[in-house]
Amino acid sequence: MTRIFSGIKPTGHLTLGNYLGAVRHWVATDQRPDEALFCVVDLHALTIEHDPARVRRLSRQAATLLLAAGLSPEKCTLFVQSHVDEHTRLAYLLECTATDGELRRMIQYKEKAAQAQASGDGVRLSLLTYPVLMAADILAYETKEVPVGDDQRQHVELARDLAVRFNQRYGHTFTVPKATYPAVAARVMDLQEPTSKMGKSGGTGPGVVFMLDEPEVVRKKVMRAVTDSGDGGVVYDPVERPGVSNLLDLLAACTDGDPALLAEGYSGYGALKRDVADALVEVLRPVRERHAELAADPAAVEKVLREGAGRARALARPVVDRAYRTIGLLEP
Ligand code: TYM
């Protein structure tokens, strides 16, 4: 069995980056509920300035959208992180395994701490310890594979390091996980700032396509996407030509193509943008329509989440209990 686990943070509306980099690949894993676990990681949304009502709303929306994208309770376990205490129980043991130095080296911590400081908010301690809780999310389930976008590389690496260190010190307790990335669109870039990741919370408004954007909005954002200065034509070169390469990546992801080969079919940006817009509209359309249906029946979504939490708890409990014993804590 290849147990897989992944999560998504309700800090903003889900984006095209979330969909193409992660969610779509979760849907494609044809597994059993005890093999594939997907989690709305709401505790992680509290690491930055937050509005309680908005976090609640976004958590519900994220779960609904994951179901709309095609996750099915027959094939996976979908749940909300704060419904399963094992995550925070394990996080403390992993805080006793990690070092201050390795957490301060995390790129996302440095970036987000700088943003929080610049806007006058204090840096929450949980922003520093966030990757430890993420490691707990993963290790509590004996996870083998973590399907994520490229920006989670350093975090999953930490989860591996902590698993190995814990096992070496106290005896074998955790499965050592590995990250898996999509072949294309592992890092979808902001359409207005193609050297930055397309993000839920940090991105530019017009450069971020949201999964629930109306077709006309998607089209407008794509047609206004920044292409690179100079007249180099349509070539795939993510370093020198990040804007046009991002568009080619999006097209490749939607059409199952190869971005460098696709480039050969275009002589101008206009035609490329039109094709990208059409492809994105078609990929997102069924998800948006299904979301509208599911959002009309919140009780059904809540039932899925409640059952999911029950299943997740049953899987995590013995793993976390075992870690409590091996690290030296008395049995209650
Ligand atoms: P989050 O909520 O930022 O993103 C969820 C997933 O979407 C991917 N992603 C992207 N992929 C490609 N291009 C983009 N522009 C893009 N933006 C986001 C992310 O890589 C991720 O796979 N720390 C995690 C949540 C988390 C988690 C976990 C993930 C918490 N615990 C345990 C896996 C396992 C995060 O902030 O994801």
Side-chain angles (χ1 to χ4, degrees), residues 10 38-44 46 55-56 59-60 63 77-89 133 137 141 298 301-317:
F38 301 109
C39 188
V40 176
V41 287
D42 54 351
L43 295 172
H44 290 286
L46 312 183
V55 169
R56 251 189 307 272
S59 298
R60 213 171 279 129
T77 293
L78 175 64
F79 69 106
V80 174
Q81 183 190 33
S82 63
H83 295 175
V84 180
D85 292 342
E86 271 54 41
H87 296 237
T88 47
R89 278 183 73 215
L133 178 57
D137 300 337
Y141 296 96
V301 176
E302 272 163 34
K303 181 164 177 278
V304 170
L305 295 177
R306 211 171 27 251
E307 287 173 4
R311 288 206 292 253
R313 215 175 284 127
L315 293 171
R317 191 74 200 248

Side-chain angles (χ1 to χ4, degrees), residues 89-269:
R89 278 183 73 215
L90 180 56
Y92 182 73
L93 300 197
L94 297 179
E95 282 183 16
C96 300
T97 311
T99 67
D100 177 67
E102 65 193 337
L103 291 174
R104 286 187 196 280
R105 278 197 294 277
M106 293 284 143
I107 298 162
Q108 289 206 358
Y109 169 69
K110 289 189 197 166
E111 287 174 358
K112 290 193 174 154
Q115 278 165 15
Q117 244 147 7
S119 60
D121 305 325
V123 179
R124 296 183 182 184
L125 180 58
S126 55
L127 189 65
L128 179 66
T129 56
Y130 170 120
V132 178
L133 178 57
M134 174 162 163
D137 300 337
I138 297 168
L139 301 185
Y141 296 96
E142 304 186 294
T143 303
K144 284 197 180 134
E145 289 183 5
V146 189
V148 280
D150 184 62
D151 61 327
Q152 297 301 315
R153 201 172 278 274
Q154 206 185 15
H155 290 161
V156 181
E157 206 49 48
L158 178 79
R160 282 177 67 84
D161 290 348
L162 296 183
V164 169
R165 196 176 305 157
F166 194 103
N167 289 347
Q168 277 171 352
R169 271 188 203 157
Y170 308 114
H172 184 81
T173 309
F174 297 120
T175 301
V176 179
K178 77 169 201 291
T180 57
Y181 308 99
V184 276
R187 184 178 281 262
V188 174
M189 308 308 265
D190 188 291
L191 297 178
Q192 290 297 317
E193 257 174 43
T195 48
S196 312
K197 178 186 82 167
M198 183 183 283
K200 285 187 224 91
S201 40
T204 66
V208 180
V209 174
F210 295 102
M211 285 176 72
L212 289 177
D213 276 347
E214 297 285 334
E216 276 326 298
V217 175
V218 174
R219 256 179 234 290
K220 203 178 282 171
K221 288 177 178 172
V222 173
M223 294 313 288
R224 291 190 183 156
V226 167
T227 39
D228 314 289
S229 55
D231 187 23
V234 178
V235 285
Y236 187 68
D237 181 347
V239 176
E240 297 296 328
R241 311 287 310 285
V244 73
S245 301
N246 190 37
L247 293 174
L248 288 163
D249 269 333
L250 294 178
L251 189 61
C254 294
T255 59
D256 226 358
D258 175 273
L261 286 178
L262 285 169
E264 293 170 12
Y266 292 94
S267 52
Y269 299 140

Side-chain angles (χ1 to χ4, degrees), residues 63-79:
T64 309
L65 207 37
L66 292 179
L67 291 170
L71 288 186
S72 127
E74 280 87 56
K75 290 189 179 170
C76 72
T77 293
L78 175 64
F79 69 106

